[in-house]
Amino acid sequence: MKRLLLILLLFIGYLTHAQPLVLNDPNQTYYDFDNHLTALEVRPGQKITIDSLLQHPERYRFAPYNRVLNFQRAYWFRISLTNTTPNDIFLRVRNVYFGVLVCEAVGGTLIRQTRLGSSVSLGTGISRLNQTVVPLQVRYGQVHQIYLYIDHGGLLKSELHGALSFARQIAVEDLCYGIFYGLVLLTALYSLLMFAQLGDRSNFIYCLWVLIYGFYMAFYVGHILDWLPAWNSTLLKHAGAFGTLPFLLTVILAMSFLSLKQHALWLYRVGQGLAGLLGLSIILSILLKSWGLPYLIESQFFVFFLPPYAYTFIAAIVALYRGNKVAWYLLLGHLSLFMSILYFFIWASDLVTFTSWSFLSMHIGLAIEIICFTIGLSYKVNLLKQHQDEAIQEQLRLTKENQQLVETQNRVLEEQVEQRTAELRASQAQLIQKEKLASLGELTAGIAHEIQNPLNFVNNFSEVSAELVTELKEELARGDTDEANAIADDLKQNLQKIHHHGGRAASIVKGMLEHSRTSSGEKQPTNLNSLANEYLRLAYQGLRAKHKDFNCDLKTDFAADLGLVDGVPQDIGRVLLNLYSNAFYAVCEKQKTAPTDYRPTVSISTRQLDNAVEIRVKDNGTGIPEAIRQKIFQPFFTTKPTGEGTGLGLSLSYDIITKGHGGTMAVESREGEGTEFIIELPFSA
């Protein structure tokens, strides 16, 4: 029985004391040494220190490491190492999230201990981010015991290196990280440039997606904690919220990348809802952590990982089914990242053998995804450019057709404009002639009155002369030569009177004909005093012929030394006649409502300036309101009732003075008090 118990104890001791790990190759990396590990679970309330383990080893029973641990418990791990190489040995512990205490002992004596972990001081450990490396002091031929204490249960991922293998692996990893970060930055810059050039929102969202994912991976391996040490506490505190942000951008990128709003509105609505939930989760996580409250859901990785990627796969398949070829790149990219994450969890669960590439699996998968997305985005950009080129070609075709149509329309319009211009010129000539005839009509009564006087004289002297001829014959028959000579002298005077008044009538008729005919435009020296006086009397008599009871005071102030002006008499007379007619009309209208003591007055004055002659026509009539004063020289504008004016008189007068004679024409008026027109004509225009 005693022998049986001894054999049983030896067997148990064999089980609880694993064989030492012999390191005999300095170039080899020892990944899988779980068979040499033993584990001790620390029960709740129990405190086990390294000193108690070394001083009282019989109290603690280490069991073979079976990879099935309670995540809520702490554990001690132990391994014995024998170094048969002349090189130093390095212990590398990966995924240090909760803190690891590494102790090295020889023969029950502690020779070194190092606390590792991203949230605590790294002590004397050589920090390679959160992949912490500790140089061991075990030398050639020595056997050391390594104890590792984990605050919370987890899968222990560690490896042993010789100096050369360790340096080689670090160089390879640094190269991979450099390539990965370079790919991230170049892709983000390319997307940003595409966004600036094309204005496509997908490029901007993709730029954010790449940067956030690159930042997240740098945070995952610990680079961010080394680059931004001042932000360590904040980043670690909100790691859950920050880890959810890439999945939120994944949903938004899928919605924009696949144009779901146009091709699958229901999927777009689902994506909006999912993005809203993820965004709300991020906000809640930040708020609760800021208030010191736990947010348990953020620790459930699959809660945030599976729904966004499931949504992305479904959206890509639907878009692909509906003919969107860009979805191929999204589908392949997400599939590569999904497979790399799946492989990472399989490795973390110890279902596959660990290698240095296992820890880089997600970086490799993400790099492949970025490459696929970039190719897809370039394909989308090319499609967009192709559509734009087609649109431009179509626009050019339409522009050419429109140009031809415009040219045809322009030819038609030019013909119509020429036709309308000819019609307008004819109408203008008719209107001008009508205005002339209107002014001629106003002169008719005055001319009739003026021509009546010389005709009366001609008739009277003709009758008297006939009687004198009879008397002359009688006196000659009697032989009274003296009386006959006297009668002959009287007859001569009568004939002179007849000639004088006949000439006066002829000049009036000539003036009327000149006024009615089209002006030749030939300028000649003109006496403005005589012209102004003659047209004043004609205009006044014309108005009196219409209104028998109208009387008006005419005041003239003609400069005696007024020089001759080069002008067209017919045109200047037409201007004066128009101004006189307007003045008489104004005073006549005011007389209808004015008090009995109102005396209508029209004044005409001339004076010589330095290089011009000034003519002023003034009345004390109704005046011109200020609101319409700027419009009186516009064609067809008139203040007279319909049928009493064409609206062309002042317009034509203004053109005659300013354009035909190079002069100026202005108006001064006060409503209810009167109006004064001022004309300046240069001596030579």
Side-chain angles (χ1 to χ4, degrees):
M1 179 63 70
K2 292 181 179 180
R3 290 182 178 179
L4 181 60
L5 290 175
L6 180 61
I7 293 172
L8 182 60
L9 290 173
L10 291 174
F11 180 73
I12 294 174
Y14 174 80
L15 293 177
T16 57
H17 293 80
Q19 294 297 317
L21 175 62
V22 179
L23 307 177
N24 52 20
D25 187 353
N27 296 322
Q28 182 181 352
T29 299
Y30 296 87
Y31 294 110
D32 191 6
F33 48 83
D34 292 349
N35 294 331
H36 301 275
L37 277 175
T38 56
L40 173 65
E41 180 180 340
V42 180
R43 293 187 296 273
Q46 186 180 19
K47 184 176 182 180
I48 302 176
T49 65
I50 184 62
D51 293 333
S52 62
L53 288 175
L54 295 176
Q55 294 173 8
H56 306 284
E58 72 281 356
R59 297 180 183 178
Y60 306 101
R61 181 178 173 183
F62 281 80
Y65 175 52
N66 60 3
R67 301 178 182 175
V68 180
L69 303 177
N70 189 336
F71 281 81
Q72 303 301 321
R73 300 288 178 86
Y75 285 87
W76 277 99
F77 297 94
R78 183 176 64 190
I79 185 173
S80 296
L81 299 179
T82 300
N83 186 10
T84 61
T85 69
N87 294 348
D88 293 335
I89 301 300
F90 295 88
L91 173 65
R92 187 176 192 182
V93 181
R94 296 183 183 264
N95 294 344
V96 179
Y97 295 110
F98 303 106
V100 174
L101 179 64
V102 180
C103 303
E104 186 175 0
V106 178
T109 301
L110 180 65
I111 62 174
R112 182 179 182 179
Q113 66 176 354
T114 305
R115 180 169 289 277
L116 309 178
S118 57
S119 60
V120 296
S121 174
L122 298 181
T124 58
I126 301 175
S127 174
R128 286 298 301 176
L129 312 169
N130 73 338
Q131 308 166 18
T132 309
V133 178
V134 179
L136 301 179
Q137 296 183 0
V138 58
R139 297 294 182 264
Y140 179 79
Q142 296 179 346
V143 178
H144 287 201
Q145 288 77 41
I146 308 299
Y147 291 85
L148 296 94
Y149 175 74
I150 300 179
D151 295 335
H152 295 75
L155 297 172
L156 181 64
K157 292 297 179 182
S158 56
E159 56 204 64
L160 291 167
H161 296 270
L164 292 177
S165 66
F166 175 67
R168 187 164 50 247
Q169 186 179 82
I170 291 298
V172 171
E173 290 182 3
D174 286 346
L175 177 62
C176 292
Y177 288 138
I179 294 174
F180 175 78
Y181 295 137
L183 176 64
V184 168
L185 293 177
L186 288 176
T187 303
L189 180 61
Y190 170 76
S191 302
L192 194 60
L193 291 175
M194 287 296 99
F195 171 73
Q197 182 179 1
L198 302 176
D200 186 10
R201 190 178 62 173
S202 298
N203 290 276
F204 181 72
I205 296 175
Y206 181 58
C207 175
L208 292 179
W209 183 88
V210 170
L211 289 176
I212 292 298
Y213 253 106
F215 193 86
Y216 175 74
M217 296 304 294
F219 175 76
Y220 162 71
V221 298
H223 287 110
I224 296 299
L225 300 179
D226 277 1
W227 296 339
L228 304 173
W231 287 68
N232 281 3
S233 59
T234 302
L235 290 173
L236 290 171
K237 182 178 181 180
H238 299 291
F242 179 69
T244 308
L245 185 59
F247 304 128
L248 171 61
L249 286 176
T250 296
V251 175
I252 297 175
L253 178 63
M255 294 164 58
S256 177
F257 195 82
L258 299 175
S259 303
L260 295 181
K261 190 174 183 180
Q262 291 77 24
H263 300 99
L265 185 59
W266 66 274
L267 266 177
Y268 180 79
R269 300 299 185 196
V270 173
Q272 284 182 317
L274 183 57
L277 291 176
L278 292 172
L280 181 62
S281 173
I282 293 173
I283 295 173
L284 286 177
S285 175
I286 294 175
L287 292 177
L288 292 177
K289 287 299 181 70
S290 298
W291 297 336
L293 300 175
Y295 184 57
L296 299 178
I297 194 172
E298 72 176 6
S299 63
Q300 305 300 319
F301 177 79
F302 287 98
V303 172
F304 301 104
F305 169 72
L306 290 180
Y309 274 84
Y311 171 79
T312 302
F313 282 127
I314 294 173
I317 293 172
V318 171
L320 191 61
Y321 176 76
R322 297 190 176 182
N324 189 351
K325 295 182 179 180
V326 179
W328 272 117
Y329 301 97
L330 187 71
L331 190 62
L332 293 175
H334 277 314
L335 186 60
S336 65
L337 181 61
F338 181 80
M339 296 302 296
S340 67
I341 294 175
L342 182 61
Y343 174 79
F344 180 83
F345 280 104
I346 292 175
W347 157 73
S349 302
D350 284 340
L351 298 178
V352 296
T353 302
F354 172 68
T355 66
S356 60
W357 296 104
S358 301
F359 198 72
L360 294 172
S361 60
M362 285 199 295
H363 292 78
I364 297 172
L366 183 59
I368 295 174
E369 183 178 37
I370 290 175
I371 293 173
C372 290
F373 281 10
T374 304
I375 296 174
L377 198 63
S378 300
Y379 179 74
K380 185 177 181 181
V381 169
N382 291 333
L383 285 179
L384 181 61
K385 288 183 177 180
Q386 182 179 352
H387 293 160
Q388 288 179 345
D389 291 341
E390 292 175 356
I392 290 173
Q393 294 298 327
E394 180 66 17
Q395 187 65 33
L396 289 175
R397 186 185 65 80
L398 294 176
T399 302
K400 188 175 181 180
E401 292 180 357
N402 290 335
Q403 185 176 2
Q404 294 176 350
L405 181 60
V406 167
E407 291 177 354
T408 303
Q409 291 179 344
N410 285 340
R411 287 195 298 270
V412 174
L413 288 175
E414 287 175 359
E415 295 175 357
Q416 292 179 350
V417 166
E418 291 178 357
Q419 182 180 356
R420 296 295 184 272
T421 302
E423 294 176 356
L424 287 175
R425 287 175 179 171
S427 300
Q428 184 180 16
Q430 292 176 0
L431 288 173
I432 293 173
Q433 189 64 26
K434 182 179 180 181
E435 180 64 24
K436 292 180 180 179
L437 293 175
S439 61
L440 182 61
E442 294 177 358
L443 284 177
T444 301
I447 292 173
H449 184 273
E450 285 294 309
I451 205 172
Q452 186 65 40
N453 288 330
L455 288 178
N456 287 337
F457 279 108
V458 170
N459 291 333
N460 291 334
F461 282 113
S462 296
E463 292 177 0
V464 171
S465 296
E467 293 176 356
L468 288 176
V469 170
T470 302
E471 291 178 2
L472 178 60
K473 288 181 179 181
E474 291 176 353
E475 293 299 328
L476 289 175
R478 294 191 189 105
D480 189 353
T481 57
D482 292 334
E483 186 65 22
N485 289 331
I487 293 173
D489 291 336
D490 292 338
L491 183 60
K492 181 180 179 181
Q493 291 178 359
N494 286 349
L495 293 175
Q496 290 175 348
K497 294 289 186 180
I498 291 172
H499 181 268
H500 170 72
H501 289 289
R504 171 63 181 157
S507 66
I508 293 173
V509 172
K510 180 181 178 182
M512 180 179 64
L513 293 175
E514 288 179 350
H515 183 81
S516 62
R517 74 167 61 100
T518 302
S519 173
S520 63
E522 296 181 1
K523 295 180 180 179
Q524 59 188 27
T526 304
N527 188 330
L528 293 182
N529 287 341
S530 174
L531 194 65
N533 186 49
E534 179 179 358
Y535 276 91
L536 176 63
R537 289 187 295 104
L538 291 175
Y540 178 58
Q541 294 300 333
L543 185 61
R544 289 201 63 203
K546 293 182 180 179
H547 305 282
K548 302 294 184 181
D549 55 347
F550 174 74
N551 290 298
C552 179
D553 293 340
L554 304 180
K555 296 183 179 180
T556 59
D557 182 14
F558 298 129
D561 58 345
L562 192 67
L564 299 179
V565 174
D566 286 339
V568 183
Q570 299 93 324
D571 291 344
I572 298 176
R574 188 173 295 115
V575 172
L576 293 172
L577 180 61
N578 186 272
L579 297 181
Y580 294 151
S581 299
N582 288 341
F584 288 134
Y585 178 83
V587 297
C588 183
E589 288 297 312
K590 185 175 180 178
Q591 189 178 33
K592 296 177 182 178
T593 57
T596 55
D597 59 346
Y598 170 71
R599 291 289 300 170
T601 304
V602 174
S603 304
I604 174 69
S605 64
T606 61
R607 69 188 181 108
Q608 185 166 324
L609 304 177
D610 292 338
N611 296 314
V613 173
E614 181 185 79
I615 306 173
R616 289 178 176 263
V617 179
K618 184 178 181 180
D619 66 74
N620 61 346
T622 55
I624 303 173
E626 184 177 359
I628 64 174
R629 198 172 302 160
Q630 302 298 326
K631 302 179 182 180
I632 62 171
F633 293 127
Q634 295 179 4
F636 304 105
F637 179 81
T638 180
T639 58
K640 297 178 182 179
T642 304
E644 294 194 18
T646 62
L648 289 173
L650 287 177
S651 174
L652 293 175
S653 299
Y654 185 83
D655 289 343
I656 290 172
I657 296 300
T658 58
K659 297 179 181 179
H661 292 78
T664 62
M665 185 173 182
V667 61
E668 296 177 358
S669 179
R670 297 187 65 181
E671 188 174 2
E673 296 184 9
T675 303
E676 183 175 20
F677 285 90
I678 302 100
I679 298 173
E680 290 186 9
L681 292 173
F683 285 116
S684 59

